[in-house]
Amino acid sequence: MTESTAKQPARRGRIFPERTLPPKELARRKAEDEVFYRRCREIFERVRPDLIKEHYGWYIAVEPNSGDYLIDADKMQAHKKALEKYPNTDHCVFCFNETGTTGTLAQYDSG
């Protein structure tokens, strides 16, 4: 039996290192995301006091460029409504509850 002398080089790190973004670009994107989120959150906070009474636990998809929002009892339906009405823009989805979060945070016992 003959052994092959060619070995695969050891690969370490990212699969596509050419797609790694420089830190400056990552910081720019993070800042843009934060501005976008704040614009959406501002609209949500403005309409929440009026809508939370009737729609507690429902979801709201906010499109910040128009200031428009769409609500539904189902999170995915609110998201789909926003995609149908504004197919080429981003939006945020919030929940009509005390915090506006759409998911749950797991509580871990440290003891």
Side-chain angles (χ1 to χ4, degrees):
M1 182 184 260
T2 60
E3 285 188 34
S4 173
T5 57
K7 285 189 171 184
Q8 286 283 0
R11 292 186 178 238
R12 295 188 180 187
R14 296 184 56 89
I15 295 173
F16 300 107
E18 65 276 5
R19 291 188 178 184
T20 302
L21 296 174
K24 226 177 193 180
E25 176 65 14
L26 289 173
R28 182 189 68 77
R29 290 183 181 193
K30 185 176 180 179
E32 284 179 0
D33 289 347
E34 183 62 32
V35 168
F36 176 78
Y37 173 78
R38 276 188 266 152
R39 289 175 54 213
C40 292
R41 186 72 188 207
E42 186 178 297
I43 295 166
F44 171 67
E45 292 297 339
R46 185 181 43 177
V47 301
R48 177 167 62 168
D50 298 330
L51 298 174
I52 195 169
K53 294 171 191 141
E54 288 183 41
H55 303 289
Y56 188 87
W58 284 39
Y59 298 90
I60 178 172
V62 177
E63 198 285 312
N65 296 329
S66 67
D68 195 14
Y69 57 89
L70 302 132
I71 63 172
D72 199 281
D74 182 67
K75 180 169 56 171
M76 288 309 296
Q77 289 304 315
H79 174 67
K80 285 179 183 179
K81 285 179 181 180
L83 287 176
E84 288 172 7
K85 189 165 184 181
Y86 300 101
N88 298 320
T89 61
D90 291 331
H91 61 274
C92 278
V93 176
F94 299 97
C95 184
F96 286 116
N97 57 26
E98 290 77 17
T99 62
T101 57
T102 59
T104 59
L105 298 174
Q107 296 268 331
Y108 294 101
D109 185 13
S110 60

